[in-house]
């Protein structure tokens, strides 16, 4: 079998708001987990080779490694059109996953555009992350694959020539101009009867209508509307509709360094994303989605504040054990491949501030407040008041020793500040504003004394550290200090000089002995570059902010998607893909740069 050679940015996303698939430029679906984002993959070639599961539909003439001529999403939707031009004609493949009624369906419609094109389909289903080869049989015009709890049905309309070969299911057919052949792949639990069949063409029209209606609600009308809409659609696609949770990415173990070990499972919901997710949704007018996300948040974090986790499963699950899958080689042989995430056990004090800030933002946006939500915030504040002076692992989930991270302390300040503001705006609420003012003042005083380097005129990553951290760019954004404070300006300048590289910004200096306890390096973290653009704008350097933002837009792939990181030297995207954090940063910065949002000439 052949190792996959596609780059991370060669993939496009399709999904049904409960799971998602990645489709390569060669027409192959190389990643799909069924039935949920966090389920075991049935196509895992992206993390190994073809024998780990994939489904390719392409012209027979294109050969194994052939790439499409062009592709794009149809209008403001998640319906992907891929065009192939051959010596005998042109054909397009329409890929989508309709928002499901009960069962997940992957639908692929082949349509002749001109001439005559010979087409081929190769389907290799491999359950349990490419590990289990299912039994295949025929039934009522379907090919049926079954292994353990999983059952997948494949059919075509009209039926085409299909046979088994080399542990795969193959199809061969010809399309003329105007002709269509639709394939539908449906999953269901193997102990249940086959679900009702969908009409692929009706499903296509309904999917387009659903996405057009949703996209039309966007209130952003600025110069970057196409990029903003695509990012919002991506965030919507990463939403688990039954609960409102938003996964950080639909993938696991896509490397932050090619050949390295910084490979993590991002198919879960991080609390730290909550503030920025809410901010992005609210800024674009999506109150319903923001309310759904807030409700997920309240359910997930309910309980003893001492047991608050940094991340949860799609429905608020707490146990996410991390294990390695030795049979997968990793993307471009970047091993190990991990599922689950051991960082769930870390102490990250910043999440308390982020949760409280999220609920404050929701309240300020006009979402109906709930008594139990305020009581939860008081409990979180009680815990944070007793623990904010402790070291923690910080927002970057370092796997080295705990430290007094400046960003964690700043977010403790945010928690107390938002409590004070809430009580000032609604004195009828239960709570002691004076108590939280005292905590706010104590945190502020300590951070300014211990987290600031007066010689270099910059906030550092941690108390007593020489390292810088891009997270301190958020200090003016959260209101800890005003943008014109010399300490803020000095921090922006220092990070620009020391963490900037090829025009973009790294999270911090990766030094295994002092920071994250891991060998190797990583690319520039894209959300940090968006934070830099925000900080430049806030400090009056609007022209530089816009130039940086527009450079970041050029890093998107051909269909507007961003991974977690970017490697300037190799000119390629790195990390899990597409990454919610990156698209959240894009939306927030685009909205901030809109005239009327504080922009000045510069």
């Amino acid at each position: 079998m052949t190792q996959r050679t596609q780059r991370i940015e060669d993939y496009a996303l399709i999904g049904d708001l409960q799971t998602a698939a990645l489709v390569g430029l060669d027409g192959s679906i190389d990643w799909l987990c069924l039935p949920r984002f966090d389920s075991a993959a049935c196509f895992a070639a992206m993390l190994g080779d073809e024998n780990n599961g994939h489904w390719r539909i392409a012209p027979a003439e294109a050969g194994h490694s052939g790439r499409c001529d062009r592709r794009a999403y149809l209008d403001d939707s998640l319906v992907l059109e891929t065009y192939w031009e051959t010596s005998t004609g042109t054909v397009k493949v329409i890929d989508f996953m309709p928002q499901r009624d009960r069962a997940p369906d992957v639908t692929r419609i082949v349509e002749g555009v001109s001439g005559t094109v010979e087409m081929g389909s190769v389907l290799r289903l491999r359950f349990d992350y490419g590990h289990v080869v299912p039994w295949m049989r025929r039934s009522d015009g379907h090919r049926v694959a079954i292994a353990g709890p999983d059952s997948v049905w494949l059919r075509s309309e009209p039926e085409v020539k299909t046979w088994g070969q080399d542990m795969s299911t193959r199809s061969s057919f010809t399309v003329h101009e105007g002709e269509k052949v639709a394939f539908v792949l449906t999953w269901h639990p193997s102990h249940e009867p086959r679900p009702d069949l969908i009409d692929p063409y009706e499903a296509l029209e309904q999917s387009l209508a659903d996405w057009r209606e949703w996209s039309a609600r966007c209130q952003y009308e600025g110069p970057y509307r196409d990029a903003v809409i695509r990012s919002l659609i991506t965030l919507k696609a990463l939403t688990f509709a039954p609960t409102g949770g938003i996964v950080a990415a639909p993938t696991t173990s896509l490397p932050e360094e090619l050949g390295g070990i910084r490979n993590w499972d991002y198919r879960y919901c991080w609390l730290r994303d909550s503030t920025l997710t809410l901010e992005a949704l609210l800024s674009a007018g999506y109150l319903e989605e923001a309310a759904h996300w807030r409700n997920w948040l309240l359910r997930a974090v309910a309980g003893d504040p001492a047991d608050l986790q940094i991340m949860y499963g799609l429905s608020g699950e707490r146990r996410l054990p991390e294990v390695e899958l030795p049979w997968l080689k990793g993307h471009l042989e970047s091993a190990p491949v991990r599922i689950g995430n051991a960082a769930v056990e870390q102490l990250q004090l910043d999440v308390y501030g982020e949760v409280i800030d999220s609920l404050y933002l929701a309240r300020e946006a006009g979402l109906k407040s709930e008594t139990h939500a305020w009581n939860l915030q008081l409990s979180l504040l009680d815990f944070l008041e007793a623990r904010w002076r402790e070291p923690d692992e910080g927002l970057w989930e370092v796997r080295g020793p705990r430290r007094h991270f400046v960003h964690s302390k700043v977010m403790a300040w945010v928690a107390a500040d938002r409590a004070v503001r809430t009580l000032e705006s609604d004195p009828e609420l239960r709570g002691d504003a004076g108590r939280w003012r005292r905590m706010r003042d104590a945190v502020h005083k300590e951070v300014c004394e211990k987290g600031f380097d007066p010689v270099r005129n910059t906030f550092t990553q941690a108390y007593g550290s020489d390292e810088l951290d891009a997270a301190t760019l958020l200090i003016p954004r959260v209101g800890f200090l005003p943008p014109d404070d010399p300490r803020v300006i000095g921090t922006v300048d220092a990070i620009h000089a020391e963490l900037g590289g090829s025009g973009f910004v790294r999270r911090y200096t990766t030094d295994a002995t002092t920071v994250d306890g891991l060998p190797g390096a990583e690319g520039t973290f894209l959300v940090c570059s968006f934070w830099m653009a925000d900080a430049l704008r806030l400090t009056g350097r609007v022209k530089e902010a816009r130039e940086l933002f527009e450079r970041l837009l050029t890093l998107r792939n051909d269909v507007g998607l961003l991974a977690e990181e970017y490697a300037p030297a190799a000119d390629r995207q790195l990390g899990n893909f597409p990454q919610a954090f990156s698209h959240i940063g894009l939306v927030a910065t685009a909205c901030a740069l809109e005239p009327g949002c504080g922009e000045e000439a510069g």
Side-chain angles (χ1 to χ4, degrees):
M1 291 297 170
T2 304
Q3 175 82 9
R4 305 308 288 161
T5 57
Q6 305 256 25
R7 301 173 303 172
I8 290 170
E9 60 266 37
D10 288 342
Y11 289 93
L13 179 78
I14 60 173
D16 64 0
L17 307 187
Q18 297 191 45
T19 192
L22 293 181
V23 188
L25 282 168
D26 64 351
S28 180
I29 298 178
D30 289 345
W31 181 256
L32 173 62
C33 300
L34 292 173
R36 306 187 348 161
F37 291 107
D38 57 355
S39 299
C42 63
F43 299 144
M46 196 174 188
L47 295 178
D49 58 34
E50 291 182 348
N51 197 43
N52 298 123
H54 74 115
W55 182 16
R56 185 173 190 233
I57 296 180
E61 171 183 301
H64 172 78
S65 60
R67 295 157 69 93
C68 69
D69 291 280
R70 66 187 187 279
R71 63 180 181 178
Y73 287 111
L74 188 57
D75 301 331
D76 292 335
S77 78
L78 205 63
V79 176
L80 181 70
E81 287 189 329
T82 302
Y83 285 83
W84 306 78
E85 296 177 3
T86 74
S87 60
T88 58
T90 300
V91 67
K92 70 176 177 181
V93 179
I94 303 172
D95 288 322
F96 67 102
M97 295 184 69
Q99 296 183 27
R100 71 178 76 168
D101 178 22
R102 186 163 68 93
D105 299 286
V106 179
T107 306
R108 315 192 74 181
I109 299 174
V110 183
E111 180 178 347
V113 176
S114 66
T116 301
V117 182
E118 296 288 334
M119 298 292 294
S121 168
V122 179
L123 171 69
R124 285 189 176 88
L125 283 161
R126 298 292 186 266
F127 298 124
D128 191 26
Y129 299 100
H131 193 225
V132 175
V133 181
W135 284 100
M136 300 291 296
R137 62 181 174 86
R138 291 181 181 268
S139 177
D140 299 328
H142 289 72
R143 287 281 180 161
V144 185
I146 296 177
D150 299 295
S151 178
V152 168
W153 295 62
L154 174 71
R155 77 179 197 276
S156 65
E157 296 183 8
E159 287 191 45
V160 298
K161 178 183 177 183
T162 301
W163 69 98
Q165 178 182 328
D166 297 332
M167 305 295 284
S168 68
T169 299
R170 298 177 179 245
S171 301
S172 178
F173 55 100
T174 302
V175 288
H176 302 270
E177 181 177 342
E179 290 184 342
K180 298 179 182 179
V181 176
F183 291 84
V184 180
L185 184 147
T186 303
W187 178 95
H188 70 95
S190 59
H191 65 278
E192 294 182 359
R194 186 199 68 194
D196 294 337
L197 303 181
I198 66 166
D199 181 306
Y201 302 103
E202 289 182 2
L204 173 60
E205 292 307 313
Q206 187 60 55
S207 291
L208 287 171
D210 289 342
W211 281 110
R212 286 167 179 159
E213 179 184 2
W214 189 85
S215 299
R217 291 164 47 202
C218 177
Q219 295 180 2
Y220 176 85
E221 296 293 343
Y224 308 111
R225 190 176 188 280
D226 288 347
V228 168
I229 282 286
R230 180 51 51 196
S231 289
L232 289 168
I233 289 172
T234 303
L235 291 174
K236 180 68 171 176
L238 299 181
T239 301
F240 186 63
T243 66
I246 300 177
V247 297
T251 56
T252 180
S253 300
L254 293 182
E256 297 173 14
E257 178 188 29
L258 293 180
I261 68 167
R262 296 169 181 264
N263 314 318
W264 315 110
D265 194 345
Y266 275 16
R267 298 171 300 155
Y268 307 112
C269 307
W270 266 254
L271 296 188
R272 73 165 46 87
D273 297 1
S274 61
T275 300
L276 297 178
T277 301
L278 273 170
E279 184 179 339
L281 292 171
L282 292 170
S283 66
Y286 287 96
L287 293 178
E288 181 180 338
E289 283 72 17
H292 206 24
W293 170 242
R294 182 194 63 177
N295 292 338
W296 174 89
L297 182 67
L298 290 173
R299 292 192 303 270
V301 305
D304 186 346
D307 294 331
L308 187 72
Q309 297 184 176
I310 66 166
M311 74 182 86
Y312 294 85
L314 304 177
S315 301
E317 297 91 344
R318 290 174 170 265
R319 293 186 179 88
L320 311 174
E322 182 177 302
V323 297
E324 297 181 4
L325 306 182
W327 61 85
L328 288 173
K329 303 173 185 176
H331 181 74
L332 299 182
E333 300 193 359
S334 303
V337 170
R338 299 180 174 96
I339 59 171
N341 200 312
V344 72
E345 303 293 338
Q346 290 188 352
L347 175 66
Q348 296 180 20
L349 293 171
D350 64 295
V351 299
Y352 291 83
E354 283 143 2
V355 168
I356 291 170
D357 197 21
S358 297
L359 298 175
Y360 174 79
L361 281 173
R363 187 184 187 93
E364 290 294 297
L367 296 182
K368 182 181 177 182
S369 59
E370 304 285 350
T371 300
H372 73 281
W374 178 245
N375 291 335
L376 171 64
Q377 291 174 77
L378 291 178
S379 295
L380 296 177
L381 281 160
D382 287 342
F383 176 84
L384 192 57
E385 182 184 37
R387 300 284 298 273
W388 71 265
R389 291 180 174 85
E390 297 181 13
D392 70 343
E393 277 91 1
L395 88 161
W396 300 127
E397 302 171 6
V398 300
R399 301 204 174 192
R402 289 182 177 179
R403 308 172 77 190
H404 289 282
F405 287 99
V406 168
H407 175 263
S408 295
K409 311 300 186 186
V410 168
M411 293 310 297
W413 177 92
V414 167
D417 177 73
R418 302 316 188 248
V420 170
R421 292 191 195 186
T422 301
L423 288 168
E424 288 174 345
S425 65
D426 189 353
E428 299 299 316
L429 285 174
R430 181 171 67 90
D432 185 345
R435 176 184 173 190
W436 306 129
R437 286 191 191 96
R438 290 189 292 275
M439 174 183 164
R440 181 177 66 179
D441 293 345
V443 177
H444 198 279
K445 183 175 185 291
E446 181 176 295
V447 170
C448 291
E449 289 178 352
K450 298 183 178 180
F452 182 76
D453 182 345
V455 176
R456 296 158 68 198
N457 191 32
T458 181
F459 284 96
T460 59
Q461 182 179 60
Y463 292 174
S465 170
D466 291 329
E467 300 285 346
L468 300 185
D469 191 325
T472 58
L473 292 170
L474 296 173
I475 283 174
R477 181 168 170 169
V478 300
F480 184 85
L481 286 173
D484 59 356
D485 189 290
R487 291 167 292 185
V488 169
I489 295 171
T491 299
V492 173
D493 288 341
I495 290 174
H496 192 276
E498 297 187 30
L499 296 184
S502 301
F504 305 108
V505 179
R506 292 171 291 144
R507 293 188 293 177
Y508 50 82
T509 303
T510 48
D511 183 337
T513 63
T514 60
V515 182
D516 60 22
L518 295 169
E522 62 182 17
T524 57
F525 209 75
L526 291 175
V527 76
C528 296
S529 295
F530 286 114
W531 292 346
M532 174 59 79
D534 293 338
L536 289 170
R537 182 191 68 85
L538 286 169
T539 54
R541 297 156 66 176
V542 179
K543 182 180 179 181
E544 291 179 65
R546 191 176 294 279
E547 289 173 348
L548 173 55
F549 179 73
E550 292 180 352
R551 286 201 304 275
L552 286 163
L553 292 184
T554 68
L555 303 185
R556 296 173 300 150
N557 73 354
D558 60 314
V559 290
L561 302 181
L562 289 169
E564 182 180 32
E565 301 179 10
Y566 171 70
D571 187 23
R572 63 191 306 165
Q573 296 192 31
L574 294 173
N576 284 300
F577 175 88
Q579 174 74 9
F581 223 3
S582 298
H583 287 281
I584 290 165
L586 188 156
V587 173
T589 304
C591 289
L593 286 170
E594 176 71 4
C597 291
E599 180 171 340
E600 302 172 358

